[in-house]
Amino acid sequence: MLLKFSHAVDAMNDKFGQLANVLILLACVVSAGNALLRYSLDISDNWPLELQWYLFGAAVMLGASYTLAQNGHVRVDIIYGNVSDRARLWIDIFGLLLFLLPACTLFAWLSWKTLFLPSWDIMEHSSNSGGLPRYPIKFMLPLGFGLLVLQGLSELVKRFAALKGEIQLDTHYERPEQ
């Protein structure tokens, strides 16, 4: 049952990862369009620049959980690269339980309570001329951290299943070139 939960979380975050890719492309298109308007047609407004920032910020927050699922986050290879696969699983479990899950849970809660809700309550908008509403992008913070918590739980389930021999996990990652 826990592995079904893990697969569902992985599938959901895969979709968010695909969305993050599209958001990066859109941010590039908006940037190019803004440059065209500003320098070719001498039309200047702040909303395209803010939209570009919002798209990039949303891509980062939605793509972080996908990156965790793909084992793509940066690691410090002092110990991890020189121990057995079983030890790597235990290191991952330790890191997930002591660092990732508590920190992301705290950040999700704090960003919901102190950033998004106050912004939503007043329907906050940018003070710039032609500025966009701020509450949608502020929602990306608790959403992104919440997705990271779910993916962390999924990774925890997979690590324990691998320790029990129920699944095989690739605990190796590509080392940076030296």
Side-chain angles (χ1 to χ4, degrees), residues 13 45 51-53 62 64 67 73-74 78-79 81 125 127-128 133 142 146-147 151 154 161:
N13 281 325
D45 208 347
L51 179 60
Q52 178 186 348
W53 294 343
L62 298 178
T67 304
H73 285 284
V74 175
I78 295 170
I79 299 170
H125 275 68
S127 60
N128 294 324
L147 292 172
Q151 190 61 49
S154 172

Side-chain angles (χ1 to χ4, degrees), residues 129-141:
S129 173
L132 299 175
R134 291 240 168 112
Y135 55 90
I137 193 60
K138 288 185 177 185
F139 177 70
M140 288 295 117
L141 285 156

Side-chain angles (χ1 to χ4, degrees), residues 19-32 51-52 55:
L19 177 59
N21 285 336
V22 171
L23 293 175
I24 292 292
L25 176 62
L26 288 175
C28 293
V29 169
V30 168
S31 178
L51 179 60
Q52 178 186 348
L55 291 168

Side-chain angles (χ1 to χ4, degrees), residues 9 44 46:
V9 170
S44 180
N46 287 323

